[in-house]
Amino acid sequence: MLIVVILGLAILYAGLRTHYSVGISQIWIAGILFWLSFLGLITTISDNLFWDADTGIFLAVMVWFESIIWMVILGIRAIVLKIKNRR
């Protein structure tokens, strides 16, 4: 299942990349990962995907936090680039 999600996100990123910039495409992917992992946490999907419910919850929380950190980094990058382009 994880391989299917990764391949799907890679194909989605390639499609987004043809129409948008790198930053916008990455924000879309990070947002999708955020919501997918959040939905996995509030439902029993993450419990059923792995051999142990604790492992599923742990991995969903890890992806959720990583997507939040990724969005924060991309936001800081966008602000820095905006300030840099003003000069």
Side-chain angles (χ1 to χ4, degrees), residues 22-23 25 29 34 42 48 50 55 63 66 74 85-86:
V22 173
S25 300
I29 297 297
F34 174 82
I42 62 173
N48 298 330
F50 298 96
T55 304
V63 171
E66 289 167 0
L74 289 170
N85 288 338
R86 278 192 167 172

Side-chain angles (χ1 to χ4, degrees), residues 47-69:
D47 299 348
N48 298 330
L49 285 178
F50 298 96
W51 57 91
D52 184 15
D54 292 335
T55 304
I57 292 171
F58 174 75
L59 291 175
V61 168
M62 290 298 293
V63 171
W64 189 62
F65 279 127
E66 289 167 0
S67 64
I68 291 172
I69 292 169

Side-chain angles (χ1 to χ4, degrees), residues 77-87:
R77 178 184 173 262
I79 292 169
V80 168
L81 287 175
K82 186 74 117 175
I83 292 171
K84 186 178 176 182
N85 288 338
R86 278 192 167 172
R87 293 182 183 172

Side-chain angles (χ1 to χ4, degrees), residues 4-49:
V4 171
V5 170
I6 290 171
L7 286 174
L9 288 173
I11 292 169
L12 178 65
Y13 179 74
L16 286 170
R17 190 63 191 99
T18 60
H19 300 291
Y20 300 105
S21 67
V22 173
I24 297 297
S25 300
Q26 288 185 12
I27 287 174
W28 271 101
I29 297 297
I32 290 170
L33 280 175
F34 174 82
W35 286 109
L36 284 177
S37 59
F38 181 72
L39 289 175
L41 286 173
I42 62 173
T43 61
T44 59
I45 294 171
S46 61
D47 299 348
N48 298 330
L49 285 178

